[in-house]
Amino acid sequence: MDGRPERGHRCVPHTADVRVEAWAPTREECVAEAVAALVDTFVDPAGAAPDGGREFRAPAGDDEDLLVAVLDEVIFRMETEGELPLRTEVADDGAGGLTVRWGTTDTDAVELVGAVPKAVSLHELRFGRDGAGWSCAVTLDV
């Protein structure tokens, strides 16, 4: 994608579900962008600020499994704890997994603007190197 910023995400048309794409210079930054893309599909975080924090460790696995684990955790925490990440930092844990730190807010602090994702679909999942950086494409079941 010529002319795209070095790091970012977008929603792309998809029948019935929601599909997002994310890209960044590193694998870890790409995962963080994918989290932001997921959140942006159904809430408007404008005006909300993190008022809590959460850490998650995704165990060693291939890159696609790591991405799905992190996104699934966001959906799980939203459904069970009523919290959403407004800021995401991802680091390689040195053992093949990822350490994710979120700045979170309560779901009541943001405005709902779309269908809430229920799961990450493995259909047409893509995550890997893309030119000088990394990119991913994920379909979210709503």
Side-chain angles (χ1 to χ4, degrees):
M1 282 188 243
D2 292 335
R4 74 179 183 189
E6 181 180 64
R7 177 181 177 144
H9 60 269
R10 68 182 181 153
C11 196
V12 293
H14 192 273
T15 358
D17 294 317
V18 174
R19 186 147 174 95
V20 295
E21 294 178 349
W23 60 91
T26 69
R27 176 183 75 151
E28 294 77 17
E29 291 172 315
C30 191
V31 171
E33 280 297 326
V35 170
L38 182 154
V39 172
D40 286 352
T41 66
F42 69 100
V43 300
D44 179 3
D51 56 8
R54 184 70 67 181
E55 186 173 290
F56 171 70
R57 295 187 190 281
D62 67 31
D63 294 327
E64 289 179 345
D65 289 342
L66 291 170
L67 175 64
V68 171
V70 171
L71 297 178
D72 277 343
E73 185 69 11
V74 171
I75 294 169
F76 174 76
R77 292 206 177 273
M78 178 196 61
E79 291 176 349
T80 62
E81 304 292 329
E83 67 184 25
L84 286 173
L86 295 179
R87 187 186 71 248
T88 303
E89 296 173 4
V90 181
D92 186 316
D93 71 0
L98 297 173
T99 300
V100 183
R101 291 182 181 87
W102 285 299
T104 61
T105 192
D106 190 78
T107 53
D108 293 337
V110 294
E111 181 181 349
L112 186 66
V113 296
V116 178
K118 300 295 180 201
V120 177
S121 172
L122 300 180
H123 183 67
E124 297 181 345
L125 175 67
R126 179 179 53 76
F127 183 41
R129 291 192 177 276
D130 179 12
W134 286 74
S135 68
C136 66
V138 179
T139 302
L140 304 169
D141 295 333
V142 295

